[in-house]
Amino acid sequence: MRVVTQQEFGGPEVLRVTEAPRPVPGPTEVLVRVHAAGVNPVDWKSRAHEVFLGEPPYTLGWDVSGVVEEVGFGATGVQAGDEVLGMPWFPRQAGAYAEYVKAPSRQFVHKPAGLSHVEAAGLPLAGLTAWQALVDVAGVRSGQRVLVDAAAGGVGHLAVQIAKARGAYVLGTASTAKHDFLRSIGVDEPLDYRDETVTASDVDVHLGLVGERGDLRWLPAVKEGGLVISVPGGVAPSVLAEAEKRGVRTSPLLVEPDRIGLLGLVELAEQGKLKVHVDRTFPLDEVAKAHELGEAGRATGKIVLTV
C-alpha cells in the first residue's frame, strides 16, 4: 500500500509517500480502506518534534473515513463493506496517512449516508475534542453562555454547533473577515480577537483552543464558578493562578477514542445540526502542501487528504 512516512523531525518536506505491506487485522480488529484522512494541528506538531509518538520513523494521522475491507476474529459492530469513520488509537500511532488502517472495530462507527468521505474524515478528532470538552467535561446545557476561542477552526467550528445544539448562547472569536462564517454556523456574538478593546462577560464555559495567550485574554469574561477548558497543552500555570484568584474552575483535556462520542456526533450530523466545513482537500502525494496550509493558520474548518 501507499503510505506517508517520515524518517526525521522537520518541516513538511520530511513527509514522503512510500510503499509498505498492507496490515493484517488481528482479533477484534478491522482493516479499513482509507478514502480520506483528516489533518489536525497534532499532526504537524508531531511531524516537527516529539509529541506522543517518540522518534521517527512513523506515519501520522488519526482521522479516518473509509470502507471496512477485512474483519478480524471476534470483531463486532461493523462488517466488510461498511462505510465507517473513526479516530483509532489516539494518541498512539494510527497511521491514517495511508491506503489502509487496522484498528479495534469499536473505535469506528458507521458513516452517515449524508456525509461524504471527505466530510466524515474531518469529523472524528476535532469533533470528539469538542464533544468531550462541552458534553462530558462541561455538561453544557440550555441557557448557558459558551465562549469558543478560534471558533472558525477545525475544533472550533464543530464546538460552536455542538453548543448550539445543546441550547447555549455562543460567543466565538475569529478575525473580522470570518465573522459571516461564524454567524452561518450559529455564533450569536462574534468577537474580533485582534481588537484589544473587545470584551465579553458572564461566560459559563470558555473553550480555550489557542493556548495560554487566549485563555488569559478571555479569562476575565468567565464568571465566578465558571469553567475554562484548555485543550492545546493543558492549563498553563499563569492561567491556573489567575483562575484561582477569580474563583473560576479549570480543566485540561486530551481527546481519546470514544465510540459513544462518535455516535453522538453522527446523530447530530444526521439531524442536520452538525456540518463539517472543509477548507481544502489535497491528494496523498501533496501531504506537504496540506501541512503548509495548516501551519499557516489561515484555514477555515478542516483540511483533508484524499487517498
Side-chain angles (χ1 to χ4, degrees), residues 7-293:
Q7 300 298 316
E8 60 186 344
F9 294 123
E13 71 280 355
V14 303
L15 300 172
R16 295 280 188 271
V17 178
T18 61
E19 295 286 330
R22 193 173 84 167
V24 176
T28 75
E29 293 182 339
V30 293
L31 181 70
V32 175
R33 171 69 168 89
V34 180
H35 284 228
V39 178
N40 296 285
V42 68
D43 298 8
W44 57 78
K45 292 175 182 177
S46 298
R47 186 212 69 228
H49 55 82
E50 200 281 322
V51 179
F52 300 120
L53 300 180
E55 294 286 329
Y58 48 67
T59 295
L60 296 172
W62 285 275
D63 276 337
V64 176
S65 182
V67 176
V68 176
E69 185 91 358
E70 296 179 29
V71 177
F73 173 77
T76 59
V78 297
Q79 58 187 359
D82 287 352
E83 294 186 321
V84 296
L85 62 90
M87 185 199 71
W89 298 118
F90 190 87
R92 296 162 57 191
Q93 179 177 246
Y97 292 7
E99 290 184 323
Y100 292 91
V101 165
K102 72 167 183 173
S105 63
R106 292 181 178 271
Q107 294 185 1
F108 295 99
V109 297
H110 291 97
K111 181 183 77 65
L115 283 184
S116 68
H117 281 295
V118 166
E119 292 168 324
L123 182 59
L125 193 149
L128 283 176
T129 300
W131 181 276
Q132 291 171 8
L134 298 179
V135 178
D136 298 336
V137 176
V140 169
R141 60 188 182 274
S142 180
Q144 287 191 314
R145 291 168 60 87
V146 176
L147 195 162
V148 179
D149 212 357
V155 175
H157 87 290
L158 298 174
V160 166
Q161 297 173 75
I162 292 168
K164 289 300 294 183
R166 296 179 71 82
Y169 179 93
V170 180
L171 304 87
T173 76
S175 62
T176 302
K178 295 184 178 181
H179 283 190
D180 284 344
F181 172 74
L182 294 191
R183 294 186 184 93
S184 75
I185 60 173
V187 171
D188 298 290
E189 192 174 329
L191 304 171
D192 183 0
Y193 70 92
R194 295 176 177 174
D195 185 347
E196 294 296 330
T197 67
V198 171
T199 60
S201 62
D202 296 321
V203 169
D204 295 285
V205 178
H206 167 59
L207 179 55
L209 301 172
V210 174
E212 181 178 11
R213 175 175 53 84
D215 288 348
L216 288 174
R217 164 78 190 275
W218 300 109
L219 185 56
V222 183
K223 63 187 183 183
E224 186 175 357
L227 174 65
V228 172
I229 303 173
S230 299
V231 175
V235 183
S238 61
V239 175
L240 180 60
E242 186 63 25
E244 288 178 345
K245 291 179 185 177
R246 294 176 174 273
V248 171
R249 296 171 294 136
T250 60
S251 175
L253 184 136
L254 179 64
V255 68
E256 58 185 297
D258 178 2
R259 181 177 175 81
I260 294 174
L262 282 177
L263 291 172
L265 293 169
V266 164
E267 182 178 9
L268 288 182
E270 290 176 330
Q271 293 172 348
K273 297 179 180 179
L274 184 65
K275 296 182 179 179
V276 181
H277 179 81
V278 178
D279 187 289
R280 282 191 65 183
T281 64
F282 294 86
L284 200 63
D285 290 332
E286 295 182 7
V287 60
K289 292 182 179 179
H291 274 227
E292 289 170 0
L293 176 61

